[in-house]
Amino acid sequence: MDKWLSHPTALKIISVLLGILLFAVVHIDPETSPQSLTSSIDTKIIEAATIVPIGLDEEKYVLSAMEPTVARIVVEGKISSLYAASNSDYIVNVDLAGLKPGIQELPLIVKLPRGIKEVELSPRKVTVRIEEIVTKSFDAQVMVEGDVAAGFVLGGPEIVSEGGSAVQVTLPKDDMDKVGLVAASIDVSNADKTVVNKKAKLVVYDTEGQEITGAIVKPSTIHAEVKVTLPFKQVPLQLRYSGELPEDMSLVSVKPSVDFVTVYASQEDLDAISIYDGAVLDLSKVKQSGTIKVKAPPVDHIQAVNPGEIELTIVVEVATTKKLSNVPISITGTGPGLTAQILTPASGTMDLEISGAEAVLADVVLDDVAIVAKVAGLDPGTHTIALELELPPYVQPVLGDGQSLSATIEIMDPTVSNGNDPEDTEVGGTPVDPPDEGSEGATPGNNGSGSGNANARSGGDKSGNQHALVDANRRTPSNHLIAWKKEDATV
């Protein structure tokens, strides 16, 4: 040992080791060295971690309030672990499983990332309010906003969804008691046609008109529309006829599915419209009793008609005839101060054969038929007048070959004396031909009218109410044209 210590090399090695020890003693601070050994551990503060409720039976209950909604967390762990975790990894829950409605105070549950531990949690409890939720059915409505374009009128809003207006609203029980209206809004500002919204959002309002947020509405949207139209009004339907029934057939009744239609036009034109006569029944298409549909198109100044199609219930029967004797001829239209008398036929009456369905003719009596001689505008003298017939609905005259439907009328001015001078007596006059088409006393044959079968009556009513414009041109079985007229009638 002494030899080893006295060896020069050994002395050098010992000297180096002593120098290192002296350096360490001088330069290492005893108070700081413990910190260098724990420098890998640190703390972190999450000031506002969101408190997330869990376990609530959301089909029955709703969390209507929670105080507070965030918590402060202080955690500790390795620096590497703290840096690796984001704030969303620090989870704070409140367990609501099995709770009943009411206000309760519950503890918080903290879930931290691995390697990190909780140092502090504030607060440790929260107060929650649980409410029962209920579902109730409501009829949705449409609220209209704005003003339509000038000259147009606003119709009633309508829900056209397949499921109708019924909707289901889910809310807490206390809020449900406040519901006043479930509605969708449609803006019609400056609209000149119907406004349609196929996905109008439904909103729940309370009794004071304020929106109730958080309401669940099923369905959440509806298909709604608001009518924007020209001015309109309802007017009586007056059916017109064209064509002819087969010779052996006659109408018993024609009953439309509606007696009134709605017509649309500018207000000025609308004020002048009293009837609608645009629907025409083509009698040539009627082969038997039954129903038939006819179009109701716009006519004259009418822009639209509702309904646009009308169903007619038609009854036809085999035609038969009936004779009426001594039907009186009446004179109308005599000028002021003038008198008129019938020269021929001398009796002032005519025998008349009429045709129609047996059920119709059975009710026809002499008082239902009139033969009229219109002398309006004629001067004193003798005139041959084409007579006009006034017949019940669905009845037509039967005239044989060569049979004339005319009379000789003498018009006199009592204030003028004839002086018993044959040369002063007017022995003749200007014959009056049957009225031309379009003249007074005749109805144009192309005005939607037709054969005598076009007379109209509803259900055999003797009152004469009808849906027809009756043609003045009637043909005899031998196809001779005669002139007669039935006064127009309106239901």
Side-chain angles (χ1 to χ4, degrees):
M1 180 68 179
D2 292 336
K3 290 182 180 182
W4 185 79
L5 291 175
S6 62
H7 196 281
T9 301
L11 292 174
K12 292 178 180 180
I13 292 172
I14 293 171
S15 298
V16 171
L17 291 175
L18 291 173
I20 292 173
L21 291 174
L22 289 173
F23 178 84
V25 170
V26 173
H27 290 86
I28 294 177
D29 186 353
E31 295 185 1
T32 60
S33 59
Q35 284 191 355
S36 64
L37 296 176
T38 59
S39 60
S40 63
I41 303 298
D42 203 351
T43 60
K44 183 176 182 180
I45 300 174
I46 298 92
E47 293 289 352
T50 301
I51 301 173
V52 180
I54 59 173
L56 182 65
D57 186 351
E58 295 182 352
E59 293 184 358
K60 295 181 179 180
Y61 307 105
V62 63
L63 175 63
S64 59
M66 181 173 66
E67 183 63 35
T69 58
V70 295
R72 182 177 184 272
I73 311 173
V74 180
V75 295
E76 181 183 85
K78 292 182 179 180
I79 295 177
S80 59
S81 298
L82 294 177
Y83 276 111
S86 64
N87 285 353
S88 61
D89 294 327
Y90 299 92
I91 300 173
V92 182
N93 294 133
V94 56
D95 190 0
L96 306 179
L99 295 183
K100 299 298 182 182
I103 298 175
Q104 303 177 52
E105 189 176 59
L106 301 173
L108 295 178
I109 303 170
V110 180
K111 295 181 181 180
L112 302 176
R114 179 178 296 182
I116 298 176
K117 66 179 181 178
E118 175 190 327
V119 175
E120 181 183 340
L121 174 64
S122 178
R124 292 195 170 274
K125 292 184 178 182
V126 293
T127 301
V128 297
R129 181 182 180 185
I130 308 297
E131 290 188 58
E132 181 182 3
I133 59 175
V134 293
T135 299
K136 188 176 179 180
S137 178
F138 290 87
D139 286 329
Q141 300 182 33
V142 178
M143 296 191 300
V144 179
E145 300 176 350
D147 297 320
V148 298
F152 288 80
V153 295
L154 182 66
E158 182 180 3
I159 295 175
V160 293
S161 298
E162 184 176 344
S165 62
V167 296
Q168 301 292 320
V169 177
T170 301
L171 276 172
K173 187 175 181 180
D174 290 348
D175 287 340
M176 185 66 75
D177 295 335
K178 302 175 184 177
V179 174
L181 178 69
V182 181
S185 298
I186 294 184
D187 189 358
V188 298
S189 298
N190 298 317
D192 58 2
K193 61 182 179 180
T194 296
V195 179
V196 177
N197 188 339
K198 294 185 177 181
K199 291 186 177 181
K201 182 180 178 181
L202 287 169
V203 178
V204 180
Y205 298 92
D206 63 20
T207 53
E208 297 181 355
Q210 300 300 314
E211 180 179 352
I212 300 177
T213 58
I216 300 174
V217 185
K218 293 184 179 180
S220 60
T221 62
I222 56 172
H223 183 181
E225 62 181 35
V226 180
K227 298 288 186 182
V228 178
T229 67
L230 287 165
F232 60 91
K233 70 177 181 181
Q234 280 195 328
V235 294
L237 167 67
Q238 182 168 287
L239 187 65
R240 294 190 294 139
Y241 298 84
S242 66
E244 297 183 2
L245 285 172
E247 291 187 1
D248 61 339
M249 301 297 293
S250 183
L251 289 173
V252 175
S253 66
V254 177
K255 183 173 179 58
S257 57
V258 294
D259 293 330
F260 292 83
V261 296
T262 301
V263 294
Y264 299 81
S266 66
Q267 191 61 55
E268 181 181 358
D269 293 330
L270 196 66
D271 292 339
I273 298 172
S274 59
I275 63 166
Y276 171 74
D277 62 356
V280 179
L281 171 60
D282 185 355
L283 294 172
S284 64
K285 296 181 179 180
V286 179
K287 306 301 181 183
Q288 60 185 5
S289 297
T291 59
I292 189 170
K293 292 183 178 180
V294 296
K295 299 292 184 181
V299 294
D300 299 330
H301 298 290
I302 297 174
Q303 301 298 316
V305 181
N306 186 33
E309 190 174 62
I310 299 170
E311 185 175 85
L312 306 175
T313 300
I314 301 173
V315 178
V316 295
E317 289 183 1
V318 176
T320 186
T321 60
K322 182 176 183 178
K323 291 184 177 181
L324 299 174
S325 301
N326 301 321
V327 180
I329 301 172
S330 60
I331 301 174
T332 64
T334 306
L338 301 180
T339 62
Q341 66 176 4
I342 300 172
L343 299 181
T344 58
S347 63
T349 65
M350 296 184 71
D351 294 337
L352 187 65
E353 184 176 9
I354 56 177
S355 174
E358 183 176 358
V360 175
L361 296 184
D363 294 331
V364 178
V365 296
L366 192 62
D367 291 341
D368 297 327
V369 178
I371 303 176
V372 181
K374 294 185 177 181
V375 298
L378 297 181
D379 296 328
T382 302
H383 306 272
T384 300
I385 305 296
L387 301 177
E388 295 182 2
L389 297 179
E390 294 184 358
L391 300 174
Y394 310 135
V395 174
Q396 65 182 30
V398 178
L399 302 180
D401 292 343
Q403 183 176 354
S404 173
L405 196 64
S406 63
T408 302
I409 308 294
E410 182 181 8
I411 302 176
M412 299 167 288
D413 186 350
T415 63
V416 178
S417 174
N418 60 19
N420 295 324
D421 186 346
E423 293 181 358
D424 294 334
T425 304
E426 184 175 355
V427 296
T430 302
V432 180
D433 294 328
D436 293 331
E437 183 177 312
S439 65
E440 183 179 0
T443 303
N446 64 356
N447 192 21
S449 48
S451 71
N453 288 324
N455 287 305
R457 177 172 71 172
S458 177
D461 186 353
K462 290 172 59 178
S463 65
N465 288 342
Q466 56 183 340
H467 299 274
L469 291 177
V470 183
D471 190 5
N473 298 322
R474 303 292 172 168
R475 295 187 182 273
T476 67
S478 58
N479 209 34
H480 290 294
L481 187 64
I482 62 171
W484 66 284
K485 183 179 180 181
K486 171 73 178 72
E487 294 297 330
D488 298 342
T490 304
V491 173

Short mmCIF file of all heavy atoms in Angstrom, two decimals, residues 288-314:
data_model
loop_
_atom_site.label_atom_id
_atom_site.label_comp_id
_atom_site.label_asym_id
_atom_site.label_seq_id
_atom_site.Cartn_x
_atom_site.Cartn_y
_atom_site.Cartn_z
N GLN A 288 -128.21 9.47 -73.74
CA GLN A 288 -129.06 8.85 -72.75
C GLN A 288 -128.96 9.62 -71.44
O GLN A 288 -128.14 10.53 -71.31
CB GLN A 288 -128.64 7.39 -72.52
CG GLN A 288 -127.20 7.26 -72.02
CD GLN A 288 -126.75 5.81 -71.91
OE1 GLN A 288 -127.49 4.91 -72.29
NE2 GLN A 288 -125.56 5.60 -71.38
N SER A 289 -129.78 9.26 -70.49
CA SER A 289 -129.73 9.91 -69.17
C SER A 289 -128.40 9.57 -68.49
O SER A 289 -127.85 8.49 -68.67
CB SER A 289 -130.89 9.43 -68.31
OG SER A 289 -132.14 9.80 -68.87
N GLY A 290 -127.92 10.51 -67.70
CA GLY A 290 -126.66 10.30 -67.00
C GLY A 290 -126.01 11.63 -66.66
O GLY A 290 -126.69 12.67 -66.58
N THR A 291 -124.70 11.61 -66.46
CA THR A 291 -123.97 12.83 -66.12
C THR A 291 -122.96 13.14 -67.23
O THR A 291 -122.45 12.24 -67.89
CB THR A 291 -123.22 12.69 -64.79
OG1 THR A 291 -122.30 11.59 -64.87
CG2 THR A 291 -124.19 12.46 -63.65
N ILE A 292 -122.72 14.42 -67.39
CA ILE A 292 -121.75 14.88 -68.38
C ILE A 292 -121.09 16.14 -67.83
O ILE A 292 -121.72 16.91 -67.09
CB ILE A 292 -122.44 15.15 -69.75
CG1 ILE A 292 -121.38 15.40 -70.82
CG2 ILE A 292 -123.41 16.31 -69.64
CD1 ILE A 292 -121.97 15.45 -72.23
N LYS A 293 -119.82 16.34 -68.15
CA LYS A 293 -119.10 17.52 -67.67
C LYS A 293 -118.90 18.49 -68.82
O LYS A 293 -118.57 18.09 -69.94
CB LYS A 293 -117.75 17.12 -67.07
CG LYS A 293 -117.86 16.33 -65.77
CD LYS A 293 -116.50 16.01 -65.19
CE LYS A 293 -116.63 15.26 -63.86
NZ LYS A 293 -115.30 14.95 -63.28
N VAL A 294 -119.09 19.77 -68.52
CA VAL A 294 -118.87 20.82 -69.50
C VAL A 294 -117.88 21.82 -68.93
O VAL A 294 -117.82 22.04 -67.73
CB VAL A 294 -120.19 21.53 -69.89
CG1 VAL A 294 -121.13 20.56 -70.57
CG2 VAL A 294 -120.86 22.15 -68.67
N LYS A 295 -117.09 22.42 -69.81
CA LYS A 295 -116.12 23.42 -69.40
C LYS A 295 -116.82 24.72 -69.05
O LYS A 295 -117.88 25.04 -69.59
CB LYS A 295 -115.09 23.67 -70.50
CG LYS A 295 -114.28 22.43 -70.89
CD LYS A 295 -113.35 22.00 -69.76
CE LYS A 295 -112.47 20.84 -70.18
NZ LYS A 295 -111.58 20.39 -69.09
N ALA A 296 -116.20 25.48 -68.15
CA ALA A 296 -116.69 26.82 -67.80
C ALA A 296 -115.56 27.80 -68.08
O ALA A 296 -114.88 28.27 -67.17
CB ALA A 296 -117.13 26.88 -66.34
N PRO A 297 -115.33 28.15 -69.36
CA PRO A 297 -114.19 29.00 -69.71
C PRO A 297 -114.48 30.47 -69.45
O PRO A 297 -115.64 30.88 -69.34
CB PRO A 297 -114.04 28.72 -71.20
CG PRO A 297 -115.44 28.46 -71.67
CD PRO A 297 -116.11 27.72 -70.52
N PRO A 298 -113.43 31.30 -69.37
CA PRO A 298 -113.64 32.74 -69.27
C PRO A 298 -114.28 33.27 -70.54
O PRO A 298 -113.92 32.85 -71.65
CB PRO A 298 -112.23 33.30 -69.09
CG PRO A 298 -111.41 32.15 -68.62
CD PRO A 298 -112.02 30.93 -69.24
N VAL A 299 -115.23 34.18 -70.43
CA VAL A 299 -115.88 34.80 -71.58
C VAL A 299 -115.95 36.30 -71.34
O VAL A 299 -115.90 36.78 -70.20
CB VAL A 299 -117.30 34.22 -71.81
CG1 VAL A 299 -117.22 32.77 -72.21
CG2 VAL A 299 -118.16 34.38 -70.56
N ASP A 300 -116.10 37.04 -72.46
CA ASP A 300 -116.20 38.50 -72.41
C ASP A 300 -115.01 39.06 -71.60
O ASP A 300 -113.88 38.78 -71.91
CB ASP A 300 -117.54 38.92 -71.82
CG ASP A 300 -118.71 38.43 -72.67
OD1 ASP A 300 -118.51 38.31 -73.89
OD2 ASP A 300 -119.79 38.16 -72.13
N HIS A 301 -115.29 39.82 -70.55
CA HIS A 301 -114.23 40.45 -69.77
C HIS A 301 -113.88 39.64 -68.53
O HIS A 301 -113.11 40.12 -67.69
CB HIS A 301 -114.64 41.86 -69.37
CG HIS A 301 -114.87 42.78 -70.55
ND1 HIS A 301 -113.85 43.22 -71.35
CD2 HIS A 301 -116.02 43.29 -71.07
CE1 HIS A 301 -114.35 43.99 -72.30
NE2 HIS A 301 -115.66 44.05 -72.16
N ILE A 302 -114.43 38.46 -68.40
CA ILE A 302 -114.12 37.60 -67.26
C ILE A 302 -112.74 36.98 -67.47
O ILE A 302 -112.43 36.44 -68.53
CB ILE A 302 -115.19 36.51 -67.10
CG1 ILE A 302 -116.55 37.14 -66.80
CG2 ILE A 302 -114.80 35.52 -66.01
CD1 ILE A 302 -117.69 36.14 -66.78
N GLN A 303 -111.89 37.07 -66.45
CA GLN A 303 -110.53 36.55 -66.55
C GLN A 303 -110.41 35.09 -66.12
O GLN A 303 -109.56 34.36 -66.62
CB GLN A 303 -109.58 37.41 -65.69
CG GLN A 303 -109.55 38.88 -66.09
CD GLN A 303 -109.04 39.08 -67.50
OE1 GLN A 303 -108.05 38.47 -67.90
NE2 GLN A 303 -109.70 39.93 -68.26
N ALA A 304 -111.25 34.67 -65.18
CA ALA A 304 -111.20 33.28 -64.70
C ALA A 304 -112.54 32.93 -64.07
O ALA A 304 -113.30 33.82 -63.66
CB ALA A 304 -110.07 33.09 -63.69
N VAL A 305 -112.83 31.62 -64.04
CA VAL A 305 -114.09 31.12 -63.49
C VAL A 305 -113.77 29.95 -62.57
O VAL A 305 -112.92 29.12 -62.87
CB VAL A 305 -115.05 30.65 -64.61
CG1 VAL A 305 -116.36 30.16 -64.01
CG2 VAL A 305 -115.31 31.77 -65.61
N ASN A 306 -114.46 29.91 -61.45
CA ASN A 306 -114.31 28.80 -60.52
C ASN A 306 -115.70 28.30 -60.09
O ASN A 306 -116.50 29.10 -59.62
CB ASN A 306 -113.52 29.23 -59.29
CG ASN A 306 -113.22 28.08 -58.35
OD1 ASN A 306 -113.02 26.95 -58.79
ND2 ASN A 306 -113.21 28.35 -57.07
N PRO A 307 -116.03 27.02 -60.29
CA PRO A 307 -115.16 25.96 -60.85
C PRO A 307 -115.01 26.09 -62.36
O PRO A 307 -115.87 26.66 -63.02
CB PRO A 307 -115.91 24.68 -60.48
CG PRO A 307 -117.34 25.10 -60.45
CD PRO A 307 -117.35 26.50 -59.90
N GLY A 308 -113.93 25.53 -62.88
CA GLY A 308 -113.69 25.59 -64.31
C GLY A 308 -114.38 24.50 -65.08
O GLY A 308 -114.34 24.49 -66.32
N GLU A 309 -115.01 23.57 -64.37
CA GLU A 309 -115.73 22.48 -65.01
C GLU A 309 -116.98 22.19 -64.18
O GLU A 309 -116.92 22.17 -62.95
CB GLU A 309 -114.84 21.24 -65.12
CG GLU A 309 -115.40 20.14 -65.98
CD GLU A 309 -114.41 18.99 -66.17
OE1 GLU A 309 -114.04 18.38 -65.14
OE2 GLU A 309 -114.00 18.75 -67.31
N ILE A 310 -118.10 21.98 -64.85
CA ILE A 310 -119.38 21.80 -64.18
C ILE A 310 -119.98 20.47 -64.60
O ILE A 310 -120.04 20.14 -65.78
CB ILE A 310 -120.35 22.95 -64.50
CG1 ILE A 310 -119.74 24.27 -64.03
CG2 ILE A 310 -121.71 22.73 -63.86
CD1 ILE A 310 -120.48 25.49 -64.51
N GLU A 311 -120.42 19.72 -63.62
CA GLU A 311 -121.06 18.43 -63.90
C GLU A 311 -122.57 18.62 -64.02
O GLU A 311 -123.19 19.26 -63.17
CB GLU A 311 -120.74 17.42 -62.80
CG GLU A 311 -121.28 16.02 -63.09
CD GLU A 311 -120.85 15.01 -62.05
OE1 GLU A 311 -121.53 14.92 -61.01
OE2 GLU A 311 -119.84 14.33 -62.26
N LEU A 312 -123.14 18.07 -65.08
CA LEU A 312 -124.58 18.16 -65.33
C LEU A 312 -125.22 16.79 -65.19
O LEU A 312 -124.71 15.80 -65.73
CB LEU A 312 -124.86 18.71 -66.73
CG LEU A 312 -124.19 20.05 -67.10
CD1 LEU A 312 -124.48 20.38 -68.55
CD2 LEU A 312 -124.65 21.15 -66.18
N THR A 313 -126.34 16.74 -64.47
CA THR A 313 -127.13 15.51 -64.39
C THR A 313 -128.29 15.66 -65.37
O THR A 313 -129.14 16.54 -65.21
CB THR A 313 -127.66 15.28 -62.97
OG1 THR A 313 -126.53 15.18 -62.08
CG2 THR A 313 -128.46 14.00 -62.90
N ILE A 314 -128.30 14.80 -66.37
CA ILE A 314 -129.25 14.95 -67.48
C ILE A 314 -130.22 13.77 -67.49
O ILE A 314 -129.82 12.62 -67.33
CB ILE A 314 -128.50 15.02 -68.82
CG1 ILE A 314 -127.54 16.21 -68.82
CG2 ILE A 314 -129.48 15.12 -69.99
CD1 ILE A 314 -126.63 16.26 -70.01
#
